[in-house]
Amino acid sequence: AISITLIAVVAIGLLLGFGLLLYRNLVELNVELPGLIARATTIYEQTRETVQARLPRWLMAKPSTVDATPIDTAARLQRLAGALVNSAAGLLGELFLILFYLIFMLLEVKRLPTRARAAFSTEQSDQLETIAGSISESMVQYLRAKVLSSLILAVPATLFMWLFGVRFAGMWGLLTFVGNFIPYLGSLFAFVPPIALAFLELEPAWKPVALVALLLLNQFVANNLIEPLLTSRAVNLSPLVVLFALTFWGLCWGIPGMVLAIPLTVMLKIIWENIPLTRPLARLMSGE
């Protein structure tokens, strides 16, 4: 009872803290968005004038089409910012549902072995316990390795952005941490917004360029050297299987499905390894 209470309290504190940080920063970003759009429009106009002065006229687009571009982009950014704020508000509500399920899972986990022995024969229940133990061990190894590799990626990235003066560095660091749970794609998507903000706000021009170089170096080291070393033992999945898993679970559940794609696929692989009919498929999924 004490351990379940502690786990629930810590989980509630962490999830609510992350959700409130994300919501507050997105609200502030939405307030400051008109100024950022004005800055982006100024940069766009200066770039267009420079290009027009150096290129032949027949290569340039019509003035009416060009002039409409910043206006359309500003409208899209305003709508995107509003959607992000609404999504963050919805996330806070979903966190309570996640915690509700978490508490009930913690309450039920001790009763499952007894129910398995009552429902199946001794041999079958022992096999089920072995499979459940293998799944539990793999999930613990994967989550431990993924959390550690995500921290190794997110902490230096947050520090770099804070040192260079990028606003909302904490939010971008949090998004980098969470995004790294989506293989190949998540950390790249989390990388784009702070870089765009850095190019709009930081002066002189070498600052955003230097920040991009540091973030790319940090991402290369974390994703290509450290993370494979930490997760290879727990995952042991072919890269092609990982891509298919991301596509399938993403189509099923969107972003949550992409975050859960690797754990669910590892779980399926372990189950298939213990069934003679599907054992060849499990071996085909292996990364060895």
Side-chain angles (χ1 to χ4, degrees):
I2 295 175
S3 64
I4 292 174
T5 303
L6 287 175
I7 291 173
V9 169
V10 172
I12 289 173
L14 289 175
L15 292 177
L16 288 182
F18 289 156
L20 289 173
L21 173 65
L22 183 63
Y23 179 76
R24 186 188 68 182
N25 286 342
L26 283 175
V27 169
E28 293 178 6
L29 180 61
N30 192 32
V31 171
E32 297 181 9
L33 192 60
L36 296 175
I37 292 173
R39 171 66 175 161
T41 303
T42 301
I43 295 174
Y44 171 81
E45 292 293 338
Q46 291 174 351
T47 305
R48 188 186 69 170
E49 291 174 1
T50 303
V51 172
Q52 283 180 338
R54 298 188 178 185
L55 288 180
R57 293 184 178 180
W58 58 273
L59 286 177
M60 302 301 298
K62 295 182 179 179
S64 58
T65 304
V66 175
D67 291 340
T69 302
I71 300 174
D72 294 340
T73 304
R76 292 192 190 100
L77 288 174
Q78 289 279 16
R79 290 195 295 269
L80 177 61
L84 288 175
V85 172
N86 292 333
S87 299
L91 177 64
L92 291 176
E94 291 179 2
L95 290 177
F96 285 101
L97 183 61
I98 293 172
L99 293 171
F100 180 78
Y101 280 106
L102 173 64
I103 292 171
F104 272 86
M105 289 173 65
L106 291 172
L107 292 173
E108 289 289 323
V109 68
K110 291 294 184 182
R111 304 176 186 175
L112 289 178
T114 304
R115 292 176 179 176
R117 295 188 191 98
F120 300 98
S121 64
T122 303
E123 182 180 355
Q124 290 175 324
S125 63
D126 289 342
Q127 185 181 13
L128 286 175
E129 287 186 26
T130 301
I131 295 173
S134 299
I135 291 174
S136 177
E137 183 180 358
S138 296
M139 291 301 102
V140 169
Q141 289 180 355
Y142 171 74
L143 289 175
R144 184 185 294 119
K146 199 65 178 177
V147 168
L148 182 58
S149 63
S150 297
L151 285 174
I152 292 173
L153 174 65
V155 171
T158 306
L159 182 61
F160 291 148
M161 288 184 281
W162 177 73
L163 289 175
F164 275 83
V166 178
R167 283 186 292 178
F168 315 114
M171 180 180 69
W172 305 130
L174 175 60
L175 291 178
T176 302
F177 175 82
V178 176
N180 195 51
F181 281 81
I182 302 176
Y184 306 128
L185 303 176
S187 56
L188 288 177
F189 286 134
F191 177 78
V192 173
I195 292 304
L197 190 63
F199 274 99
L200 288 177
E201 291 189 326
L202 299 184
E203 292 181 353
W206 65 266
K207 281 190 174 182
V209 175
L211 178 61
V212 170
L214 288 173
L215 291 178
L216 285 176
L217 178 62
N218 177 52
Q219 195 167 54
F220 176 82
V221 172
N223 290 342
N224 295 282
L225 300 178
I226 297 175
E227 184 169 338
L229 202 64
L230 294 173
T231 60
S232 58
R233 181 184 174 188
V235 175
N236 192 22
L237 291 175
S238 166
L240 184 61
V241 172
V242 172
L243 289 175
F244 278 123
L246 286 174
T247 303
F248 175 76
W249 295 112
L251 289 174
C252 291
W253 293 333
I255 293 179
M258 298 179 75
V259 173
L260 296 173
I262 302 303
L264 290 173
T265 307
V266 171
M267 186 184 304
L268 184 64
K269 176 175 174 289
I270 292 172
I271 294 173
W272 283 0
E273 285 175 344
N274 290 271
I275 301 175
L277 183 64
T278 57
R279 192 169 294 145
L281 292 176
R283 290 173 179 171
L284 287 174
M285 296 169 65
S286 175
E288 298 177 350

